[in-house]
Amino acid sequence: MKAIVSGFVLLAVLVATPDVSRSAESVILAEQKTARVPIVIKADAGETTRAVANELAGFLERISGAKFSISDSGSPPEHGIFVGTVKEFPLPEFADALAIHDTYDGVESFVIVPRDGSLYLVGATETGTSHAVFRFLEKLGCRWFFPAPEWEVLPSFDRLEVDFEVTDRPAIQTRRIWWGYGYFDHKEGRCRAETEAWRRRNLMADSFRLSNGHAWQSIILENKETFEAHPEYLALVDGKRRKPQLCVSNPAVRKLAIAWALQRLERRPELDMVSMETSDGLNHCECENCLALGSVSDRAFGLANEVARAVTEKLPGKMVGMLAYSDHSEPPTFALESNVYVQLTAGFTHGEYTFDELKELWPKKTRNFGIYEYFSVWLWDFDQLPGGKANNLAMVTERFRDYAARGATSITCESSNAWGPNGRGYYVANRLMWDPDVDIEALLGDFYDKAFGPSAAPMRRYYDRLDRSDHPLMSEHLIGLAFRDLDEATTLAADRADVLARLDQLKRYLHYVRLRWELDHLPKNDPERKSLTLDALTWGYRNRYDYMNHWEAFRQTWSKEAAEEFDEPTWSFRHTESPPPWQVDSPANAGETERLFRQDLERFQPQDVAEIDFSEDLVPAGLTGHEEPKPLTHRFQRPVRYAFYSPDGSPLKLSIETGVIAAFRDKADGEWTVTDPDGEEIASGRLPQ
């Protein structure tokens, strides 16, 4: 007898988006370095439209050599590139394409229309107008793969002609990939500016602005005197009143929460919602009245409902934001108000349901539903290969298509500003959020060809071998192969300065991989750890504008930890009396990058490894040595698949114990399934943690 234990597989359902791209009449915009038409905006155009018109003029000049003027006079010229909203440039035949449904669906819609010697780049709103401009430039061949300027790709035209028409809107209405720890140059602002430019040029935006981060601690902080005077407003935990959670059964607390929410929305009218999310962590109130309200979900969403009703009365159209997270991952037992918006977190869910089951339950509870993903967290992966979840393209593709099919209207991805291990994944994920049906292979082919030109083949191999979906075994062998992919790519791109600049950034990232590898393989008491740590911090700071590593995470966490470990207080970012020793303002140039790359190439040597593929046809191993077979014990986390064989047909006995990790005991039950070799289920069940 054979038996196979396996896990549950969820099949994604694809959804269609309203993208339409078709051939149209031809309009010549420039030839022989001369613009044939001006860019036209309305005299009262908004700041966003004016800014994007200037960007358009700059890019058109760079790709055609023609200088495009911008006209904003009261009487527009007969022909031009008309940039603005549908209110400014009405296009009656595209009314449906630019219509806004259910308040937000269509806020970002746009059309690209060549007609009668002119080109119309028109959006339902200014955001849609920006999308029209950058989709137009993308159709011409412009690309902005990563935020660093080196990853910009621009074509060149002697004759700039448009013969296509496009109408489009995003499948996911609010799309965010954001960095934990924030930006690292608040004074200069370059990091923020280049990140926001990448988002704008790749059509990442918000049809509605999410506001569902942890909020209860802000209510306490902004009403400090009130909470000091009334400790009974705080949660009762182990017999003591304490922060950061609220005693939500207290009527005064509920009134305070309503007042705080209304004041926040009135003070910032640009907000679409106000958060009523709990403070982070557990330790919710244990008083008799709170417990009588039901589960933590019933308590948290009950308060959100009451605030939502007050918001509807005073500020109709505004929403109240929540997370389905931690001890309130599960839907409450009652209906949610129509203006409560919920994002389910793809991690840290507690209770009796798995994440896959919660994905089934929440869309049935509310139409105002989205997903909060964890793409890359510094304290989880430390920018090391093979990167975070973003570098698992198969998983990202399956999940995002599934989220869209379930009706999610937002996806937020907590990430690291580390494009060395994750950049390709961020680029693909953003495109999936706009159009879940995007052809991934075509998208990747375009990335390799345009970013790496003659080096496309080895760079495809480089990214594929490090993709988490292939379960790469991190080793000196694998790192050595990755170095050799870049070395081959360098040879093939010898006459392409633009490609070499991108490869240099990846080489600098791999030098960090080398430093971190050496550091992580040294004993804690090895004296070399100190110099290696300082080298890695210095390298990260010097090359922070490559965005290959998440420098701000280095600064806020690693510099502080290193200062404590090596008793070097000046290393910490908190030390302000003198510049830390890692603060060296000299980015690595091409010569230094190549010199270190050659050293790293020599350091990591691939080994001769014979790869053998095994079938799933099982046969007895023929092991002998015991009259009676001894029990086998295996311990694991996450799904694992085992195969069992009984050579004489006697019964197989399996014993499964769950919940040996105390912190997991409030999570969903473990699942097990036994099938025959053909996949037919023999038995299944669930066991509590």
Side-chain angles (χ1 to χ4, degrees), residues 135-194:
R135 175 63 63 79
F136 164 64
L137 291 170
E138 179 191 305
K139 295 281 285 185
L140 294 180
C142 300
R143 298 289 185 273
W144 298 273
F145 290 119
F146 298 174
E150 290 81 0
W151 293 86
E152 176 181 84
V153 176
L154 300 181
S156 179
F157 296 97
D158 293 325
R159 176 187 175 96
L160 185 54
E161 189 172 2
V162 183
D163 61 355
F164 54 83
E165 180 181 288
V166 178
T167 65
D168 206 1
R169 65 178 63 199
I172 304 297
Q173 294 169 19
T174 290
R175 310 166 304 285
R176 300 294 289 170
I177 297 175
W178 66 281
W179 322 136
Y181 301 97
Y183 301 99
F184 56 74
D185 61 349
H186 297 291
K187 291 183 179 179
E188 301 168 30
R190 175 180 163 187
C191 176
R192 177 186 291 274
E194 290 182 342

Side-chain angles (χ1 to χ4, degrees), residues 459 463 486 502-510 548:
M459 291 311 298
Y463 279 103
L486 288 188
R502 295 171 200 129
L503 295 176
D504 276 356
Q505 290 194 350
L506 291 171
K507 290 176 182 178
R508 289 194 282 271
Y509 168 68
L510 285 188
M548 293 288 107

Side-chain angles (χ1 to χ4, degrees), residues 279-298:
S279 299
D280 203 1
L282 306 175
N283 296 319
H284 281 271
C285 190
E286 299 167 351
C287 79
E288 183 178 346
N289 290 336
C290 278
L291 294 177
L293 292 176
S295 67
V296 176
S297 284
D298 282 351

Side-chain angles (χ1 to χ4, degrees), residues 402-413:
D402 179 47
Y403 299 157
R406 294 181 186 279
T409 56
S410 69
I411 299 178
T412 299
C413 305

Side-chain angles (χ1 to χ4, degrees), residues 386 391-396 424 464 466-472:
N391 196 34
N392 186 331
L393 291 195
M395 186 215 67
V396 170
R424 182 190 62 156
D464 283 350
L466 298 173
D467 191 314
R468 289 178 69 102
S469 60
D470 198 35
H471 305 290

Side-chain angles (χ1 to χ4, degrees), residues 48-347:
T48 298
T49 297
R50 288 186 176 275
V52 80
N54 278 296
E55 278 194 278
L56 174 62
F59 282 119
L60 290 180
E61 182 176 359
R62 291 173 65 188
I63 66 179
S64 71
K67 190 170 184 63
F68 284 78
S69 63
I70 298 177
S71 170
D72 63 353
S73 63
S75 54
E78 182 180 358
H79 300 293
I81 303 174
F82 295 95
V83 178
T85 66
V86 68
K87 289 183 179 179
E88 295 166 335
F89 300 107
L91 297 169
E93 63 271 46
F94 292 96
D96 289 342
L98 294 170
I100 299 176
H101 308 291
D102 298 328
T103 308
Y104 300 111
D105 181 10
V107 166
E108 299 179 62
S109 61
F110 67 85
V111 298
I112 301 171
V113 184
R115 177 193 294 161
D116 301 330
S118 295
L119 176 65
Y120 290 83
L121 304 176
V122 176
T125 64
E126 284 194 277
T127 302
T129 300
S130 176
H131 292 345
V133 166
F134 287 106
R135 175 63 63 79
F136 164 64
L137 291 170
E138 179 191 305
K139 295 281 285 185
L140 294 180
C142 300
R143 298 289 185 273
W144 298 273
F145 290 119
F146 298 174
E150 290 81 0
W151 293 86
E152 176 181 84
V153 176
L154 300 181
S156 179
F157 296 97
D158 293 325
R159 176 187 175 96
L160 185 54
E161 189 172 2
V162 183
D163 61 355
F164 54 83
E165 180 181 288
V166 178
T167 65
D168 206 1
R169 65 178 63 199
I172 304 297
Q173 294 169 19
T174 290
R175 310 166 304 285
R176 300 294 289 170
I177 297 175
W178 66 281
W179 322 136
Y181 301 97
Y183 301 99
F184 56 74
D185 61 349
H186 297 291
K187 291 183 179 179
E188 301 168 30
R190 175 180 163 187
C191 176
R192 177 186 291 274
E194 290 182 342
T195 299
E196 290 181 351
W198 179 84
R199 289 172 175 155
R200 183 171 64 256
R201 293 164 184 172
N202 285 284
L203 281 59
M204 180 183 290
D206 305 329
S207 292
F208 58 89
R209 296 187 183 187
L210 279 165
S211 180
N212 59 352
H214 301 294
W216 287 7
Q217 76 284 347
S218 296
I219 297 174
I220 296 170
L221 181 63
E222 293 175 31
N223 294 275
K224 184 178 179 181
E225 292 181 0
T226 300
F227 279 91
E228 287 177 350
H230 295 277
E232 71 274 15
Y233 290 1
L234 297 172
L236 181 69
V237 181
D238 294 332
K240 296 181 180 180
R241 296 284 179 178
R242 68 185 198 184
K243 296 182 285 189
Q245 309 294 11
L246 300 174
C247 179
V248 296
S249 63
N250 191 314
V253 170
R254 299 175 89 87
K255 289 180 180 178
L256 201 63
I258 291 170
W260 180 86
L262 291 174
Q263 184 183 47
R264 193 171 185 84
L265 288 171
E266 289 165 351
R267 192 168 61 240
R268 297 187 58 190
E270 76 278 6
L271 294 179
D272 293 312
M273 71 175 67
V274 62
S275 178
M276 198 44 57
E277 171 61 16
T278 71
S279 299
D280 203 1
L282 306 175
N283 296 319
H284 281 271
C285 190
E286 299 167 351
C287 79
E288 183 178 346
N289 290 336
C290 278
L291 294 177
L293 292 176
S295 67
V296 176
S297 284
D298 282 351
R299 287 177 255 166
F301 288 102
L303 177 61
N305 264 356
E306 188 165 339
V307 174
R309 287 191 289 271
V311 167
T312 295
E313 181 181 348
K314 297 285 187 181
L315 299 166
K318 301 293 186 178
M319 294 185 286
V320 172
M322 291 288 291
L323 295 174
Y325 167 74
S326 187
D327 50 8
H328 55 287
S329 303
E330 302 168 0
T333 56
F334 44 80
L336 293 176
E337 293 294 322
S338 61
N339 61 328
V340 173
Y341 192 94
V342 182
Q343 271 196 326
L344 170 63
T345 61

